[in-house]
Amino acid sequence: MDDVQHIDAPADHAKLLACLEIGKALTSTFDLREVLHLILDTGQRIIAADNWSLLLRDPDSGDLTFEVVVGLDPGLIRGLRLPRGAGIAGHVAETGQQLVIPDTGADHRFDSNVDRHTGFVTRSIVCVPMTIRNRVLGVIEVINVGDLKRFQTLEAPFLRMMADFAAIAVENSRYVARVEALTITDEYTGLKNARYLHEALDGMLSTARSSGTHLSVAFADLDNFKRIVDSHGHLMGSQVLREVGEVMLAALSPDDTLVKYGGDEFVLLMPGKAAEPACARLERVRLAVAERRYLESTSDPVSLTASFGLATFPGDA
């Protein structure tokens, strides 16, 4: 009888219900923050600890950013960034291996900067990686677990499952974001496309109307572009369109939006600009397009010009 393992039926039932709740959320919404909050809130109900935090890993730099915090004032820590490899979280993100640190004061990897920033005292840390297809997308930290022995005996598998759910949620959200970006992006120039224009224009007009500001919209058409396509072919024509888009973007302000509308046509959205400053901006764009030589990497570079039409809300619409 000594070998019989004790089973905590109520606790196991609670874990099962928690997993079902999170699984349902994963299939019913792509709101990443909502799902991540649910995961940490659920975990806190199962594993007693002072606070939980979820950090996402930047795919390029490897830095970690606090995304969701439970049990601590989010304003103290949300958005705080840890350099790649820094602290326990950074170590776990780099190695992909879970760490249980019963005494942070005795571990050289512990970084006390976050405690100094928040005024919190971290005595122990459990940190698990959020891994999918051998890629670490982030980590979950559980701070000052009430009963570390119970955690390691009964609750560690549940926390790893929470981390797996979180990784799935992040991957799903990023996949949806990529798909959505493709639907509003022109494949040749990388600019926003006509679908984006129709979605965004109503919102910009509504903002201009409610705030009493201007919105200027310009339509641009490349002059005699067919001549370039006839002489250089469609592939080189697409390259010219991409280069023209780069030139126009460089001449616009960060608040403006350039849309590849169709064929050799572009639309320029200039929120907050009345007709006169918008016209001055268009003149700068027109000159930039005319002064640039295109296809300079080929043996037969070309020049071109563009014609523009301008309308400004509320005067013209």
Side-chain angles (χ1 to χ4, degrees):
M1 294 296 292
D2 292 339
D3 294 333
V4 176
Q5 185 177 3
H6 172 69
I7 298 177
D8 189 341
D12 288 342
H13 182 66
K15 292 175 188 175
L16 177 60
L17 290 179
C19 292
L20 291 174
E21 185 179 2
I22 295 171
K24 182 179 178 181
L26 284 173
T27 59
S28 62
T29 179
F30 289 112
D31 186 328
L32 179 60
R33 184 170 290 277
E34 178 184 338
V35 176
L36 296 182
H37 266 292
L38 173 63
I39 290 172
L40 262 62
D41 286 337
T42 303
Q44 191 182 43
R45 296 201 305 266
I46 303 298
I47 303 173
D50 283 351
N51 65 67
W52 291 56
S53 56
L54 186 149
L55 299 86
L56 292 184
R57 191 168 190 255
D58 187 298
D60 299 319
S61 69
D63 293 350
L64 290 169
T65 303
F66 284 89
E67 185 69 18
V68 178
V69 181
V70 174
L72 187 67
D73 180 2
L76 294 175
I77 202 169
R78 184 184 297 149
L80 191 64
R81 198 173 184 92
L82 302 181
R84 181 171 188 166
I88 303 300
H91 182 84
V92 170
E94 291 299 300
T95 64
Q97 300 298 316
Q98 172 181 308
L99 280 179
V100 178
I101 310 298
D103 180 6
T104 56
D107 196 298
H108 71 279
R109 293 166 297 190
F110 175 65
D111 186 342
S112 61
N113 283 330
V114 175
D115 276 8
R116 285 195 293 270
H117 182 79
T118 62
F120 189 77
V121 178
T122 301
R123 299 184 301 276
S124 67
I125 297 179
V126 175
C127 188
V128 294
M130 295 158 40
T131 306
I132 193 165
R133 288 190 284 275
N134 297 318
R135 291 182 296 114
V136 177
L137 304 185
V139 301
I140 293 177
E141 284 189 322
V142 188
I143 308 299
N144 299 343
V145 173
D147 187 340
L148 274 175
K149 184 177 180 180
R150 173 184 171 83
F151 168 80
Q152 291 178 293
T153 304
L154 299 174
E155 296 167 345
F158 173 75
L159 181 58
R160 288 194 293 270
M161 190 177 299
M162 294 294 97
D164 288 342
F165 279 137
I168 293 170
V170 172
E171 184 80 345
N172 286 348
S173 175
R174 291 178 177 174
Y175 176 74
V176 169
R178 288 195 294 269
V179 171
E180 289 178 345
L182 288 173
T183 65
I184 60 171
T185 303
D186 177 70
E187 60 179 318
Y188 296 111
T189 64
L191 299 172
K192 297 290 190 289
N193 61 18
R195 177 174 179 176
Y196 170 84
L197 174 67
H198 295 307
E199 292 178 354
L201 192 54
D202 283 345
M204 290 185 179
L205 281 168
S206 178
T207 298
R209 184 180 294 110
S210 62
S211 62
T213 57
H214 294 90
L215 170 65
S216 287
V217 179
F219 197 92
D221 191 349
L222 302 186
D223 301 326
N224 301 313
F225 183 70
K226 185 177 183 300
R227 170 179 54 81
I228 295 176
V229 174
D230 291 342
S231 60
H232 290 73
H234 287 282
L235 286 178
M236 289 297 98
S238 295
Q239 175 63 28
V240 170
L241 292 174
R242 184 159 50 248
E243 293 180 18
V244 169
E246 292 170 356
V247 170
M248 288 186 174
L249 270 179
L252 293 172
S253 73
D255 295 331
D256 302 330
T257 301
L258 180 62
V259 174
K260 173 65 168 52
Y261 188 70
D264 60 345
E265 301 158 343
F266 297 81
V267 174
L268 297 78
L269 304 173
M270 295 172 281
K273 287 188 176 66
E276 187 173 342
C279 195
R281 178 57 49 82
L282 287 184
E283 179 63 10
R284 192 166 80 178
V285 174
R286 186 190 69 81
L287 289 174
V289 170
E291 291 170 356
R292 168 73 179 268
R293 293 275 285 175
Y294 303 92
L295 301 180
E296 285 193 326
S297 61
T298 71
S299 59
D300 189 16
V302 299
S303 298
L304 55 81
T305 57
S307 299
F308 296 83
L310 175 67
T312 299
F313 175 87
D316 300 320

